[in-house]
Amino acid sequence: MRSLRLLMLTALALAACGIEVPHDKTDYIGRWKHANMSLWITAQGHVEYQRVEGRGTTSISAPLRGFDGDDFEVGIGWMSTRFDVSTPPHRDYGSWKMVVDGVELTRVED
């Protein structure tokens, strides 16, 4: 029982080990949607992702680890995922858009 508590406390501590979104990347903050994909990036550096492909669903809830150019990485320890941003956030006819992993997302209001 004691080792289970220690494991849970360690997991919670690691989950909090993200970075805040850097000042030059604040355009990434928000909820982004497409018919089969959603991405939520908070200013505090937490990322929620879900993508449906066929009958499968991929979901990630993890802290932001950092940016490399326009791309960003999320994860805990050795478990991480890199998101390929081929078109960074930009205005397109009044809407915010970006292309992540080949999917054009639109930022939606909360």
Side-chain angles (χ1 to χ4, degrees):
M1 187 66 155
R2 180 184 235 178
S3 61
L4 179 59
R5 281 190 206 146
L6 180 60
L7 181 62
M8 288 174 56
L9 288 173
T10 302
L12 285 173
L14 286 173
C17 292
I19 66 162
E20 290 186 8
V21 174
H23 181 70
D24 65 330
K25 301 293 186 184
T26 57
D27 289 346
Y28 285 75
I29 297 169
R31 292 183 189 269
W32 299 85
K33 297 264 186 188
H34 182 270
N36 67 339
M37 184 172 159
S38 65
L39 176 66
W40 181 29
I41 303 172
T42 70
Q44 296 76 27
H46 187 78
V47 177
E48 299 279 338
Y49 166 83
Q50 185 174 34
R51 185 170 185 177
V52 177
E53 293 182 283
R55 293 184 175 182
T57 301
T58 302
S59 297
I60 298 169
S61 177
L64 177 66
R65 293 182 64 170
F67 282 85
D68 181 12
D70 295 327
D71 301 344
F72 59 95
E73 188 174 337
V74 301
I76 301 170
W78 56 270
M79 297 185 316
S80 65
T81 299
R82 182 181 182 97
F83 289 87
D84 175 40
V85 180
S86 55
T87 306
H90 64 283
R91 285 264 197 201
D92 184 27
Y93 296 104
S95 296
W96 280 93
K97 307 264 185 186
M98 78 169 154
V99 178
V100 178
D101 293 339
V103 178
E104 184 180 65
L105 301 172
T106 303
R107 188 161 58 197
V108 295
E109 300 299 320
D110 289 329

